[in-house]
Short mmCIF file of all heavy atoms in Angstrom, two decimals:
data_model
loop_
_atom_site.label_atom_id
_atom_site.label_comp_id
_atom_site.label_asym_id
_atom_site.label_seq_id
_atom_site.Cartn_x
_atom_site.Cartn_y
_atom_site.Cartn_z
N MET B 712 0.80 -1.19 0.01
CA MET B 712 0.00 0.00 0.00
C MET B 712 0.86 1.26 0.00
O MET B 712 0.60 2.20 -0.73
CB MET B 712 -0.93 0.00 1.21
CG MET B 712 -1.77 1.25 1.29
SD MET B 712 -3.05 0.99 2.49
CE MET B 712 -3.58 2.63 2.68
N PHE B 713 1.92 1.25 0.82
CA PHE B 713 2.77 2.44 0.91
C PHE B 713 3.55 2.65 -0.39
O PHE B 713 3.82 3.78 -0.78
CB PHE B 713 3.74 2.31 2.08
CG PHE B 713 3.05 2.42 3.41
CD1 PHE B 713 3.00 1.37 4.29
CD2 PHE B 713 2.44 3.61 3.79
CE1 PHE B 713 2.37 1.47 5.51
CE2 PHE B 713 1.80 3.72 5.00
CZ PHE B 713 1.75 2.66 5.87
N LYS B 714 3.89 1.55 -1.06
CA LYS B 714 4.64 1.68 -2.31
C LYS B 714 3.80 2.37 -3.37
O LYS B 714 4.31 3.19 -4.14
CB LYS B 714 5.13 0.32 -2.80
CG LYS B 714 6.24 -0.23 -1.97
CD LYS B 714 6.74 -1.53 -2.55
CE LYS B 714 7.88 -2.08 -1.69
NZ LYS B 714 8.42 -3.32 -2.22
N SER B 715 2.53 2.00 -3.47
CA SER B 715 1.68 2.64 -4.48
C SER B 715 1.46 4.11 -4.18
O SER B 715 1.43 4.94 -5.08
CB SER B 715 0.34 1.91 -4.59
OG SER B 715 -0.38 2.05 -3.38
N ILE B 716 1.33 4.47 -2.91
CA ILE B 716 1.19 5.87 -2.54
C ILE B 716 2.47 6.63 -2.86
O ILE B 716 2.45 7.74 -3.39
CB ILE B 716 0.85 6.01 -1.04
CG1 ILE B 716 -0.55 5.44 -0.79
CG2 ILE B 716 0.91 7.46 -0.59
CD1 ILE B 716 -0.90 5.33 0.68
N GLN B 717 3.59 6.00 -2.58
CA GLN B 717 4.88 6.63 -2.84
C GLN B 717 5.06 6.82 -4.36
O GLN B 717 5.54 7.85 -4.79
CB GLN B 717 6.01 5.78 -2.28
CG GLN B 717 7.37 6.44 -2.40
CD GLN B 717 8.46 5.60 -1.78
OE1 GLN B 717 8.25 4.43 -1.44
NE2 GLN B 717 9.62 6.18 -1.63
N ARG B 718 4.69 5.84 -5.16
CA ARG B 718 4.80 5.96 -6.61
C ARG B 718 3.92 7.08 -7.13
O ARG B 718 4.32 7.86 -7.98
CB ARG B 718 4.41 4.64 -7.29
CG ARG B 718 5.51 3.67 -7.37
CD ARG B 718 5.16 2.53 -8.29
NE ARG B 718 5.87 1.35 -7.86
CZ ARG B 718 5.38 0.16 -7.67
NH1 ARG B 718 4.10 -0.06 -7.88
NH2 ARG B 718 6.12 -0.85 -7.28
N ARG B 719 2.70 7.14 -6.64
CA ARG B 719 1.76 8.19 -7.08
C ARG B 719 2.31 9.57 -6.73
O ARG B 719 2.24 10.49 -7.54
CB ARG B 719 0.40 7.99 -6.45
CG ARG B 719 -0.34 6.81 -7.01
CD ARG B 719 -1.67 6.66 -6.34
NE ARG B 719 -2.28 5.40 -6.69
CZ ARG B 719 -3.30 4.87 -6.05
NH1 ARG B 719 -3.83 5.48 -5.01
NH2 ARG B 719 -3.81 3.71 -6.42
N SER B 720 2.85 9.72 -5.52
CA SER B 720 3.37 11.04 -5.14
C SER B 720 4.61 11.39 -5.96
O SER B 720 4.80 12.52 -6.33
CB SER B 720 3.69 11.08 -3.65
OG SER B 720 4.71 10.16 -3.33
N THR B 721 5.43 10.39 -6.27
CA THR B 721 6.62 10.65 -7.09
C THR B 721 6.21 11.08 -8.50
O THR B 721 6.79 12.02 -9.05
CB THR B 721 7.50 9.39 -7.16
OG1 THR B 721 7.82 8.98 -5.83
CG2 THR B 721 8.77 9.66 -7.94
N VAL B 722 5.23 10.41 -9.05
CA VAL B 722 4.75 10.76 -10.40
C VAL B 722 4.14 12.16 -10.39
O VAL B 722 4.37 12.95 -11.31
CB VAL B 722 3.74 9.71 -10.91
CG1 VAL B 722 3.06 10.16 -12.17
CG2 VAL B 722 4.45 8.37 -11.14
N ALA B 723 3.37 12.47 -9.36
CA ALA B 723 2.75 13.78 -9.28
C ALA B 723 3.81 14.89 -9.15
O ALA B 723 3.72 15.92 -9.81
CB ALA B 723 1.81 13.84 -8.07
N ILE B 724 4.82 14.66 -8.34
CA ILE B 724 5.88 15.64 -8.19
C ILE B 724 6.64 15.84 -9.48
O ILE B 724 6.97 16.95 -9.90
CB ILE B 724 6.84 15.24 -7.04
CG1 ILE B 724 6.11 15.35 -5.69
CG2 ILE B 724 8.10 16.08 -7.05
CD1 ILE B 724 6.87 14.76 -4.54
N ALA B 725 6.93 14.75 -10.19
CA ALA B 725 7.63 14.83 -11.48
C ALA B 725 6.80 15.58 -12.51
O ALA B 725 7.33 16.40 -13.27
CB ALA B 725 7.98 13.45 -12.00
N ALA B 726 5.51 15.35 -12.52
CA ALA B 726 4.63 16.05 -13.48
C ALA B 726 4.57 17.53 -13.18
O ALA B 726 4.66 18.37 -14.09
CB ALA B 726 3.22 15.44 -13.44
N ILE B 727 4.46 17.88 -11.92
CA ILE B 727 4.41 19.31 -11.54
C ILE B 727 5.74 19.98 -11.87
O ILE B 727 5.75 21.10 -12.39
CB ILE B 727 4.06 19.45 -10.04
CG1 ILE B 727 2.59 19.01 -9.81
CG2 ILE B 727 4.27 20.88 -9.57
CD1 ILE B 727 2.24 18.89 -8.36
N ALA B 728 6.84 19.30 -11.60
CA ALA B 728 8.16 19.88 -11.91
C ALA B 728 8.32 20.06 -13.41
O ALA B 728 8.87 21.07 -13.86
CB ALA B 728 9.25 19.00 -11.35
N GLY B 729 7.85 19.10 -14.18
CA GLY B 729 7.95 19.22 -15.64
C GLY B 729 7.13 20.37 -16.17
O GLY B 729 7.60 21.11 -17.04
N LEU B 730 5.95 20.53 -15.67
CA LEU B 730 5.11 21.65 -16.12
C LEU B 730 5.69 22.99 -15.70
O LEU B 730 5.67 23.97 -16.45
CB LEU B 730 3.70 21.50 -15.56
CG LEU B 730 2.87 20.33 -16.15
CD1 LEU B 730 1.55 20.23 -15.38
CD2 LEU B 730 2.62 20.53 -17.62
N GLY B 731 6.23 23.04 -14.49
CA GLY B 731 6.83 24.28 -13.99
C GLY B 731 8.06 24.68 -14.81
O GLY B 731 8.25 25.85 -15.11
N SER B 732 8.89 23.72 -15.18
CA SER B 732 10.09 24.05 -15.91
C SER B 732 9.74 24.48 -17.33
O SER B 732 10.40 25.34 -17.91
CB SER B 732 11.07 22.88 -15.92
OG SER B 732 10.51 21.80 -16.63
N ALA B 733 8.72 23.89 -17.92
CA ALA B 733 8.33 24.27 -19.28
C ALA B 733 7.82 25.71 -19.31
O ALA B 733 8.17 26.46 -20.22
CB ALA B 733 7.24 23.33 -19.81
N SER B 734 7.04 26.09 -18.34
CA SER B 734 6.52 27.47 -18.34
C SER B 734 7.63 28.45 -17.97
O SER B 734 7.60 29.59 -18.41
CB SER B 734 5.35 27.60 -17.37
OG SER B 734 5.79 27.38 -16.05
N ALA B 735 8.60 28.04 -17.19
CA ALA B 735 9.70 28.95 -16.81
C ALA B 735 10.56 29.27 -18.03
O ALA B 735 10.98 30.40 -18.22
CB ALA B 735 10.55 28.32 -15.72
N PHE B 736 10.82 28.28 -18.86
CA PHE B 736 11.64 28.52 -20.04
C PHE B 736 10.90 29.35 -21.09
O PHE B 736 11.50 30.06 -21.88
CB PHE B 736 12.11 27.21 -20.66
CG PHE B 736 13.22 26.56 -19.89
CD1 PHE B 736 13.04 25.29 -19.37
CD2 PHE B 736 14.42 27.21 -19.67
CE1 PHE B 736 14.06 24.69 -18.65
CE2 PHE B 736 15.42 26.62 -18.94
CZ PHE B 736 15.25 25.36 -18.42
N ALA B 737 9.61 29.27 -21.11
CA ALA B 737 8.82 30.03 -22.08
C ALA B 737 8.87 31.52 -21.79
O ALA B 737 8.74 32.34 -22.69
CB ALA B 737 7.37 29.54 -22.09
N ASP B 738 9.10 31.91 -20.53
CA ASP B 738 9.08 33.32 -20.15
C ASP B 738 10.45 33.97 -20.17
O ASP B 738 10.58 35.14 -19.86
CB ASP B 738 8.50 33.47 -18.74
CG ASP B 738 7.03 33.05 -18.70
OD1 ASP B 738 6.41 33.01 -19.77
OD2 ASP B 738 6.54 32.73 -17.60
N LEU B 739 11.52 33.22 -20.52
CA LEU B 739 12.86 33.79 -20.50
C LEU B 739 13.05 34.78 -21.66
O LEU B 739 12.66 34.50 -22.78
CB LEU B 739 13.91 32.69 -20.62
CG LEU B 739 14.05 31.76 -19.43
CD1 LEU B 739 15.06 30.68 -19.72
CD2 LEU B 739 14.47 32.53 -18.19
N PRO B 740 13.67 35.90 -21.39
CA PRO B 740 13.97 36.84 -22.48
C PRO B 740 15.02 36.27 -23.43
O PRO B 740 15.78 35.36 -23.09
CB PRO B 740 14.52 38.07 -21.75
CG PRO B 740 14.21 37.90 -20.32
CD PRO B 740 13.99 36.44 -20.09
N ALA B 741 15.10 36.82 -24.63
CA ALA B 741 16.03 36.33 -25.64
C ALA B 741 17.47 36.55 -25.21
O ALA B 741 18.36 35.77 -25.59
CB ALA B 741 15.77 37.03 -26.96
N VAL B 742 17.74 37.58 -24.42
CA VAL B 742 19.10 37.85 -23.97
C VAL B 742 19.67 36.70 -23.14
O VAL B 742 20.81 36.32 -23.28
CB VAL B 742 19.14 39.17 -23.16
CG1 VAL B 742 20.51 39.42 -22.59
CG2 VAL B 742 18.69 40.32 -24.02
N ILE B 743 18.83 36.14 -22.30
CA ILE B 743 19.26 35.02 -21.46
C ILE B 743 19.55 33.82 -22.33
O ILE B 743 20.55 33.11 -22.13
CB ILE B 743 18.20 34.71 -20.40
CG1 ILE B 743 18.10 35.88 -19.42
CG2 ILE B 743 18.55 33.44 -19.65
CD1 ILE B 743 17.03 35.74 -18.40
N GLY B 744 18.74 33.56 -23.33
CA GLY B 744 19.00 32.45 -24.25
C GLY B 744 20.31 32.63 -25.00
O GLY B 744 21.10 31.68 -25.14
N THR B 745 20.59 33.85 -25.41
CA THR B 745 21.85 34.13 -26.10
C THR B 745 23.03 33.95 -25.16
O THR B 745 24.06 33.40 -25.54
CB THR B 745 21.83 35.56 -26.66
OG1 THR B 745 20.67 35.74 -27.47
CG2 THR B 745 23.08 35.86 -27.45
N SER B 746 22.88 34.40 -23.93
CA SER B 746 23.94 34.24 -22.93
C SER B 746 24.21 32.78 -22.64
O SER B 746 25.37 32.36 -22.56
CB SER B 746 23.58 34.95 -21.64
OG SER B 746 23.43 36.32 -21.87
N LEU B 747 23.16 32.01 -22.48
CA LEU B 747 23.33 30.57 -22.23
C LEU B 747 23.99 29.88 -23.42
O LEU B 747 24.80 28.97 -23.23
CB LEU B 747 21.99 29.93 -21.90
CG LEU B 747 21.38 30.31 -20.56
CD1 LEU B 747 20.00 29.70 -20.39
CD2 LEU B 747 22.29 29.92 -19.41
N THR B 748 23.66 30.28 -24.63
CA THR B 748 24.31 29.71 -25.81
C THR B 748 25.79 30.06 -25.82
O THR B 748 26.62 29.21 -26.15
CB THR B 748 23.63 30.24 -27.09
OG1 THR B 748 22.23 29.93 -27.04
CG2 THR B 748 24.25 29.62 -28.32
N GLY B 749 26.14 31.29 -25.43
CA GLY B 749 27.55 31.66 -25.33
C GLY B 749 28.31 30.85 -24.30
O GLY B 749 29.44 30.43 -24.52
N ILE B 750 27.67 30.62 -23.16
CA ILE B 750 28.29 29.83 -22.10
C ILE B 750 28.50 28.40 -22.58
O ILE B 750 29.54 27.79 -22.36
CB ILE B 750 27.42 29.86 -20.82
CG1 ILE B 750 27.47 31.26 -20.22
CG2 ILE B 750 27.89 28.81 -19.81
CD1 ILE B 750 26.47 31.46 -19.08
N GLN B 751 27.51 27.87 -23.30
CA GLN B 751 27.63 26.51 -23.81
C GLN B 751 28.77 26.41 -24.82
O GLN B 751 29.53 25.44 -24.81
CB GLN B 751 26.30 26.08 -24.47
CG GLN B 751 26.34 24.67 -25.02
CD GLN B 751 25.04 24.29 -25.70
OE1 GLN B 751 24.20 25.13 -25.93
NE2 GLN B 751 24.89 23.04 -26.03
N THR B 752 28.90 27.42 -25.67
CA THR B 752 29.97 27.43 -26.67
C THR B 752 31.33 27.47 -25.98
O THR B 752 32.24 26.75 -26.36
CB THR B 752 29.82 28.64 -27.60
OG1 THR B 752 28.53 28.57 -28.21
CG2 THR B 752 30.88 28.66 -28.67
N ASP B 753 31.45 28.31 -24.95
CA ASP B 753 32.72 28.40 -24.21
C ASP B 753 33.04 27.09 -23.48
O ASP B 753 34.20 26.66 -23.45
CB ASP B 753 32.67 29.54 -23.19
CG ASP B 753 32.63 30.89 -23.87
OD1 ASP B 753 32.98 30.99 -25.07
OD2 ASP B 753 32.23 31.88 -23.19
N ALA B 754 32.01 26.47 -22.90
CA ALA B 754 32.24 25.18 -22.21
C ALA B 754 32.69 24.09 -23.18
O ALA B 754 33.58 23.31 -22.88
CB ALA B 754 30.97 24.77 -21.49
N LEU B 755 32.07 24.05 -24.34
CA LEU B 755 32.47 23.06 -25.33
C LEU B 755 33.89 23.31 -25.84
O LEU B 755 34.66 22.37 -26.08
CB LEU B 755 31.49 23.03 -26.51
CG LEU B 755 30.10 22.48 -26.17
CD1 LEU B 755 29.17 22.65 -27.36
CD2 LEU B 755 30.20 21.01 -25.76
N ALA B 756 34.27 24.57 -25.98
CA ALA B 756 35.64 24.91 -26.38
C ALA B 756 36.63 24.46 -25.30
O ALA B 756 37.71 23.92 -25.62
CB ALA B 756 35.77 26.40 -26.66
N ALA B 757 36.29 24.66 -24.04
CA ALA B 757 37.16 24.25 -22.95
C ALA B 757 37.29 22.72 -22.91
O ALA B 757 38.37 22.19 -22.68
CB ALA B 757 36.62 24.73 -21.60
N ILE B 758 36.20 22.03 -23.14
CA ILE B 758 36.26 20.56 -23.17
C ILE B 758 37.13 20.08 -24.32
O ILE B 758 37.92 19.14 -24.18
CB ILE B 758 34.81 19.98 -23.26
CG1 ILE B 758 34.09 20.18 -21.96
CG2 ILE B 758 34.84 18.50 -23.64
CD1 ILE B 758 32.60 19.87 -22.02
N ASP B 759 37.04 20.75 -25.47
CA ASP B 759 37.89 20.39 -26.61
C ASP B 759 39.36 20.59 -26.30
O ASP B 759 40.21 19.86 -26.80
CB ASP B 759 37.50 21.21 -27.83
CG ASP B 759 36.18 20.75 -28.44
OD1 ASP B 759 35.74 19.62 -28.13
OD2 ASP B 759 35.59 21.54 -29.20
N LEU B 760 39.70 21.59 -25.46
CA LEU B 760 41.09 21.82 -25.10
C LEU B 760 41.58 20.80 -24.06
O LEU B 760 42.76 20.42 -24.08
CB LEU B 760 41.24 23.23 -24.54
CG LEU B 760 41.10 24.37 -25.53
CD1 LEU B 760 41.13 25.71 -24.80
CD2 LEU B 760 42.20 24.31 -26.57
N VAL B 761 40.70 20.38 -23.17
CA VAL B 761 41.11 19.49 -22.08
C VAL B 761 41.14 18.03 -22.52
O VAL B 761 41.91 17.23 -21.99
CB VAL B 761 40.19 19.70 -20.86
CG1 VAL B 761 40.43 18.69 -19.78
CG2 VAL B 761 40.35 21.10 -20.32
N TRP B 762 40.33 17.66 -23.49
CA TRP B 762 40.18 16.28 -23.89
C TRP B 762 41.52 15.59 -24.26
O TRP B 762 41.77 14.48 -23.80
CB TRP B 762 39.17 16.18 -25.03
CG TRP B 762 38.81 14.80 -25.41
CD1 TRP B 762 39.10 14.17 -26.56
CD2 TRP B 762 38.10 13.83 -24.62
NE1 TRP B 762 38.61 12.90 -26.57
CE2 TRP B 762 37.99 12.68 -25.38
CE3 TRP B 762 37.54 13.86 -23.36
CZ2 TRP B 762 37.36 11.54 -24.92
CZ3 TRP B 762 36.91 12.72 -22.88
CH2 TRP B 762 36.83 11.58 -23.64
N PRO B 763 42.38 16.23 -25.05
CA PRO B 763 43.66 15.57 -25.35
C PRO B 763 44.53 15.33 -24.12
O PRO B 763 45.22 14.32 -24.02
CB PRO B 763 44.36 16.55 -26.31
CG PRO B 763 43.28 17.36 -26.89
CD PRO B 763 42.22 17.45 -25.85
N VAL B 764 44.48 16.23 -23.16
CA VAL B 764 45.26 16.07 -21.94
C VAL B 764 44.73 14.87 -21.14
O VAL B 764 45.52 14.05 -20.64
CB VAL B 764 45.22 17.35 -21.08
CG1 VAL B 764 45.93 17.16 -19.74
CG2 VAL B 764 45.80 18.52 -21.85
N VAL B 765 43.43 14.77 -21.04
CA VAL B 765 42.84 13.64 -20.31
C VAL B 765 43.20 12.32 -20.98
O VAL B 765 43.55 11.34 -20.30
CB VAL B 765 41.30 13.82 -20.23
CG1 VAL B 765 40.62 12.56 -19.69
CG2 VAL B 765 40.94 15.03 -19.39
N MET B 766 43.14 12.30 -22.30
CA MET B 766 43.48 11.06 -22.99
C MET B 766 44.97 10.72 -22.85
O MET B 766 45.33 9.55 -22.73
CB MET B 766 43.12 11.18 -24.49
CG MET B 766 41.62 11.23 -24.74
SD MET B 766 40.71 9.86 -23.98
CE MET B 766 41.33 8.50 -24.91
N ALA B 767 45.84 11.71 -22.83
CA ALA B 767 47.27 11.47 -22.62
C ALA B 767 47.55 10.89 -21.25
O ALA B 767 48.32 9.95 -21.09
CB ALA B 767 48.06 12.76 -22.85
N VAL B 768 46.89 11.43 -20.24
CA VAL B 768 47.07 10.94 -18.86
C VAL B 768 46.54 9.51 -18.76
O VAL B 768 47.19 8.64 -18.18
CB VAL B 768 46.38 11.88 -17.84
CG1 VAL B 768 46.34 11.26 -16.46
CG2 VAL B 768 47.10 13.21 -17.83
N LEU B 769 45.35 9.29 -19.30
CA LEU B 769 44.78 7.94 -19.27
C LEU B 769 45.67 6.94 -20.01
O LEU B 769 45.91 5.83 -19.54
CB LEU B 769 43.37 7.95 -19.87
CG LEU B 769 42.61 6.64 -19.88
CD1 LEU B 769 42.38 6.18 -18.43
CD2 LEU B 769 41.29 6.78 -20.59
N GLY B 770 46.16 7.34 -21.17
CA GLY B 770 47.07 6.49 -21.94
C GLY B 770 48.34 6.19 -21.16
O GLY B 770 48.87 5.08 -21.21
N GLY B 771 48.85 7.21 -20.46
CA GLY B 771 50.04 6.99 -19.65
C GLY B 771 49.83 5.99 -18.55
O GLY B 771 50.67 5.13 -18.29
N PHE B 772 48.66 6.07 -17.89
CA PHE B 772 48.36 5.07 -16.84
C PHE B 772 48.25 3.67 -17.43
O PHE B 772 48.72 2.71 -16.83
CB PHE B 772 47.06 5.43 -16.12
CG PHE B 772 47.22 6.50 -15.09
CD1 PHE B 772 46.44 7.63 -15.13
CD2 PHE B 772 48.15 6.38 -14.06
CE1 PHE B 772 46.58 8.64 -14.18
CE2 PHE B 772 48.29 7.37 -13.10
CZ PHE B 772 47.50 8.51 -13.17
N VAL B 773 47.65 3.53 -18.60
CA VAL B 773 47.55 2.22 -19.24
C VAL B 773 48.90 1.66 -19.58
O VAL B 773 49.21 0.48 -19.34
CB VAL B 773 46.63 2.30 -20.48
CG1 VAL B 773 46.67 1.02 -21.28
CG2 VAL B 773 45.19 2.61 -20.06
N VAL B 774 49.77 2.52 -20.15
CA VAL B 774 51.11 2.07 -20.51
C VAL B 774 51.91 1.66 -19.27
O VAL B 774 52.59 0.63 -19.26
CB VAL B 774 51.85 3.17 -21.31
CG1 VAL B 774 53.34 2.87 -21.45
CG2 VAL B 774 51.21 3.36 -22.68
N LEU B 775 51.79 2.46 -18.19
CA LEU B 775 52.49 2.10 -16.94
C LEU B 775 52.00 0.76 -16.38
O LEU B 775 52.79 -0.04 -15.90
CB LEU B 775 52.31 3.20 -15.91
CG LEU B 775 53.11 4.46 -16.14
CD1 LEU B 775 52.72 5.53 -15.11
CD2 LEU B 775 54.59 4.19 -16.07
N LYS B 776 50.71 0.53 -16.48
CA LYS B 776 50.14 -0.74 -15.99
C LYS B 776 50.67 -1.93 -16.80
O LYS B 776 51.02 -2.95 -16.24
CB LYS B 776 48.61 -0.67 -16.09
CG LYS B 776 47.89 -1.78 -15.43
CD LYS B 776 47.78 -1.57 -13.96
CE LYS B 776 46.80 -2.55 -13.39
NZ LYS B 776 46.66 -2.41 -11.96
N ILE B 777 50.74 -1.73 -18.12
CA ILE B 777 51.24 -2.81 -18.98
C ILE B 777 52.72 -3.07 -18.70
O ILE B 777 53.15 -4.22 -18.59
CB ILE B 777 50.99 -2.46 -20.47
CG1 ILE B 777 49.51 -2.50 -20.77
CG2 ILE B 777 51.76 -3.41 -21.38
CD1 ILE B 777 49.15 -1.96 -22.13
N VAL B 778 53.51 -2.02 -18.58
CA VAL B 778 54.94 -2.17 -18.29
C VAL B 778 55.12 -2.85 -16.94
O VAL B 778 55.98 -3.73 -16.80
CB VAL B 778 55.65 -0.79 -18.32
CG1 VAL B 778 57.04 -0.88 -17.75
CG2 VAL B 778 55.66 -0.24 -19.74
N LYS B 779 54.33 -2.48 -15.94
CA LYS B 779 54.43 -3.10 -14.64
C LYS B 779 54.14 -4.60 -14.70
O LYS B 779 54.84 -5.39 -14.06
CB LYS B 779 53.46 -2.41 -13.67
CG LYS B 779 53.60 -2.84 -12.24
CD LYS B 779 52.65 -2.04 -11.36
CE LYS B 779 52.74 -2.50 -9.93
NZ LYS B 779 51.81 -1.76 -9.07
N ARG B 780 53.14 -4.99 -15.47
CA ARG B 780 52.83 -6.42 -15.60
C ARG B 780 53.95 -7.18 -16.29
O ARG B 780 54.29 -8.29 -15.91
CB ARG B 780 51.53 -6.60 -16.40
CG ARG B 780 50.30 -6.32 -15.61
CD ARG B 780 49.07 -6.61 -16.42
NE ARG B 780 47.87 -6.26 -15.67
CZ ARG B 780 46.66 -6.40 -16.13
NH1 ARG B 780 46.46 -6.82 -17.37
NH2 ARG B 780 45.63 -6.06 -15.39
N VAL B 781 54.52 -6.57 -17.33
CA VAL B 781 55.61 -7.24 -18.07
C VAL B 781 56.84 -7.39 -17.18
O VAL B 781 57.47 -8.44 -17.15
CB VAL B 781 55.95 -6.43 -19.34
CG1 VAL B 781 57.24 -6.92 -19.99
CG2 VAL B 781 54.79 -6.51 -20.34
N VAL B 782 57.17 -6.35 -16.41
CA VAL B 782 58.34 -6.41 -15.53
C VAL B 782 58.14 -7.43 -14.43
O VAL B 782 59.07 -8.16 -14.07
CB VAL B 782 58.62 -4.99 -14.92
CG1 VAL B 782 59.64 -5.06 -13.81
CG2 VAL B 782 59.09 -4.05 -16.04
N ASN B 783 56.95 -7.55 -13.91
CA ASN B 783 56.67 -8.53 -12.85
C ASN B 783 56.76 -9.96 -13.37
O ASN B 783 57.09 -10.87 -12.61
CB ASN B 783 55.31 -8.30 -12.22
CG ASN B 783 55.33 -7.10 -11.27
OD1 ASN B 783 56.37 -6.72 -10.76
ND2 ASN B 783 54.16 -6.51 -11.06
N LYS B 784 56.45 -10.19 -14.64
CA LYS B 784 56.52 -11.55 -15.21
C LYS B 784 57.92 -11.96 -15.53
O LYS B 784 58.23 -13.13 -15.61
CB LYS B 784 55.63 -11.64 -16.45
CG LYS B 784 54.16 -11.69 -16.12
CD LYS B 784 53.30 -11.97 -17.32
CE LYS B 784 51.83 -12.05 -16.90
NZ LYS B 784 50.99 -12.48 -17.97
N VAL B 785 58.79 -10.98 -15.77
CA VAL B 785 60.18 -11.29 -16.14
C VAL B 785 61.01 -11.49 -14.94
O VAL B 785 61.10 -11.81 -13.98
CB VAL B 785 60.81 -10.15 -16.96
CG1 VAL B 785 62.29 -10.36 -17.18
CG2 VAL B 785 60.09 -10.02 -18.28
#
């Protein structure tokens, strides 16, 4: 019984939140949309700059792990 009540309340809260967020975005001025687009563009540019560094570090860890296994077997 409690599970069905909990599910119903969860669904109701999700529906209310969905309706509230849809109406909130409809009332935003165009300047805010443009600003958010600029922020998104800057974030994607930063991710593009960081991605090669992350891959190099990850590759280094993989190479060290392989070398460690080979040295331990010899």
Side-chain angles (χ1 to χ4, degrees):
M712 178 168 167
F713 289 115
K714 288 184 180 181
S715 65
I716 293 172
Q717 186 178 11
R718 276 192 208 131
R719 288 180 191 164
S720 63
T721 304
V722 170
I724 291 170
I727 291 170
L730 291 173
S732 65
S734 64
F736 285 120
D738 296 339
L739 291 177
V742 175
I743 294 176
T745 305
S746 298
L747 290 176
T748 303
I750 291 170
Q751 181 182 10
T752 303
D753 292 341
L755 290 174
I758 289 171
D759 287 342
L760 290 174
V761 172
W762 188 247
V764 176
V765 171
M766 292 307 293
V768 170
L769 182 62
F772 281 125
V773 170
V774 168
L775 286 174
K776 188 81 168 180
I777 291 171
V778 168
K779 187 176 178 181
R780 283 185 183 178
V781 169
V782 169
N783 285 337
K784 285 188 178 187
V785 171

